[in-house]
């Protein structure tokens, strides 16, 4: 059973539109000798102001797709600061990142709001990377599986309701202790968490949905550790923050498998 591989970068609140254009020029040169492989997606989530047509075109030259870091659960309305799936699609975007731990931690994202965003994005035919992951105190308190079960249950509930989506849906496991800290989970810890997430999906959505689901690892992924992490049987790609900001380093990650 071969699953899609998804190698993604999350720029968070970094890079202006001009810097984004320079970045894609540079990464196109880095990736010139490494064409995209079959069943593989390379995706970058820039900030919303760096998603214009010129930047999308520059990204396409590098075989990189772009996505938004957030998407609202309504298509339009009085929701200051939010992003509409209709509008994202209208400017040519297919991908959305949902429930990143920074959204959960600083912007009051809950399993409930995240699930609403997921439902809207999938109903609108967008591809999704849906983030889960335990906080440090939860890991230390032995609650990792419990937290992942709860977060994945919110994901399952939406998939159960809407049925098999036509677009790509994936989960990114990002232990909060590893985000931006340089402390990566060990490949064994990542594999154990991914296996658990897949089991929770299997129990609710069945074998096929579970086996087809790409599960990405995120948290201090670097050019040095990407290959080892992705060699784990249940790690189907990566979601990279800091190390996605340097075109040469990210190109190494994108070509690690
Ligand atoms: P990091 O961030 O790679 O800088 O740890 C990962 C993420 O937040 O998606």
């Amino acid at each position: 059973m071969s699953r899609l591989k998804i190698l993604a970068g999350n720029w968070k609140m970094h890079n202006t539109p001009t810097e984004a254009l320079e970045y894609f020029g540079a990464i196109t040169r880095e990736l010139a000798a490494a064409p995209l492989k079959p069943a593989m997606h390379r995706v970058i989530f820039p900030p919303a102001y760096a998603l214009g047509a010129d930047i999308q075109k520059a990204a396409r030259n590098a075989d990189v797709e772009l996505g938004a870091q957030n998407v609202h659960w309504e298509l339009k309305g009085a929701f200051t600061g939010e992003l509409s799936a209709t509008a994202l699609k209208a400017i040519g975007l297919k991908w959305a990142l949902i429930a990143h731990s920074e959204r959960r931690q600083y912007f009051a994202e809950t399993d409930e709001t995240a699930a609403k965003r997921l439902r809207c994005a999938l109903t609108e035919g967008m591809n999704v990377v849906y983030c889960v992951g335990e906080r440090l105190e939860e890991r230390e308190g032995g609650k990792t599986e419990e937290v992942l079960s709860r977060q994945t249950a919110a994901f399952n509930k939406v998939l159960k309701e809407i049925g098999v989506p036509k677009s790509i849906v994936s989960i990114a496991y990002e232990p909060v202790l590893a985000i931006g800290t340089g402390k990566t989970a060990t490949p064994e810890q990542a594999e154990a968490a991914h296996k658990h997430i897949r089991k929770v999906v299997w129990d609710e959505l069945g074998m096929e949905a579970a086996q087809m689901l790409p599960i990405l690892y995120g948290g201090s992924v670097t050019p040095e550790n990407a290959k080892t992490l992705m060699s784990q049987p249940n790690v189907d790609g990566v979601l990279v923050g800091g190390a996605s900001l340097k075109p040469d380093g990210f190109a190494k990650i994108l070509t690690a498998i």
Side-chain angles (χ1 to χ4, degrees):
M1 158 86 39
S2 78
R3 284 186 283 272
L4 277 184
K5 301 279 182 213
I6 302 173
L7 291 88
N10 171 17
W11 284 359
K12 311 190 179 187
M13 206 171 68
H14 294 284
N15 285 337
T16 64
T18 306
E19 287 165 343
L21 280 173
E22 285 164 10
Y23 178 100
F24 285 112
I27 204 165
T28 301
R29 290 189 290 278
E30 297 284 340
L31 292 171
L36 198 60
K37 295 195 179 128
M40 179 185 282
H41 289 263
R42 298 167 171 165
V43 189
I44 290 182
F45 298 97
Y49 38 76
L51 291 169
D54 52 343
I55 300 173
Q56 288 184 45
K57 186 162 173 241
R60 261 197 306 278
N61 288 336
D63 279 330
V64 172
E65 298 166 82
L66 298 187
Q69 294 175 8
N70 189 19
V71 60
H72 194 60
W73 53 83
E74 296 289 344
L75 298 177
K76 62 179 174 180
F79 302 105
T80 303
E82 288 286 335
L83 300 175
S84 151
T86 312
L88 293 172
K89 287 194 304 182
I91 65 164
L93 296 173
K94 288 212 187 83
W95 287 83
L97 187 63
I98 295 179
H100 187 274
S101 69
E102 285 149 20
R103 302 291 315 166
R104 292 180 186 263
Q105 198 174 346
Y106 306 129
F107 302 100
E109 188 83 88
T110 61
D111 289 329
E112 200 187 358
T113 55
K116 282 160 67 170
R117 296 182 198 279
L118 177 67
R119 184 182 301 110
C120 180
L122 293 181
T123 308
E124 289 302 304
M126 295 195 78
N127 300 333
V128 171
V129 178
Y130 187 89
C131 303
V132 300
E134 80 286 9
R135 297 197 304 268
L136 175 60
E137 62 273 23
E138 291 167 336
R139 174 164 281 269
E140 287 177 347
K143 293 205 158 67
T144 298
E145 292 201 347
E146 185 186 320
V147 172
L148 295 180
S149 296
R150 191 197 72 224
Q151 294 172 335
T152 307
F155 170 92
N156 285 342
K157 192 160 173 254
V158 173
L159 271 290
K160 242 187 163 162
E161 263 170 47
I162 65 172
V164 180
K166 290 191 191 72
S167 51
I168 299 167
V169 62
S170 62
I171 287 183
Y173 167 62
E174 300 200 300
V176 177
L177 83 152
I179 295 180
T181 58
K183 292 185 200 147
T184 328
T186 64
E188 294 73 28
Q189 282 169 336
E191 173 65 11
H194 286 216
K195 259 176 128 162
H196 179 73
I197 292 166
R198 204 177 298 289
K199 180 183 176 302
V200 177
V201 173
W202 188 312
D203 289 347
E204 279 286 325
L205 302 179
M207 182 183 80
E208 198 180 339
Q211 286 188 337
M212 295 304 288
L213 179 73
I215 305 180
L216 326 184
Y217 170 79
S220 296
V221 175
T222 63
E224 289 71 39
N225 63 24
K227 198 180 169 78
T228 318
L229 284 161
M230 286 190 279
S231 65
Q232 297 297 313
N234 281 287
V235 179
D236 307 307
V238 283
L239 177 59
V240 186
S244 73
L245 294 171
K246 294 212 179 82
D248 52 343
F250 195 47
K252 288 200 182 85
I253 295 175
L254 291 177
T255 52
I257 51 167

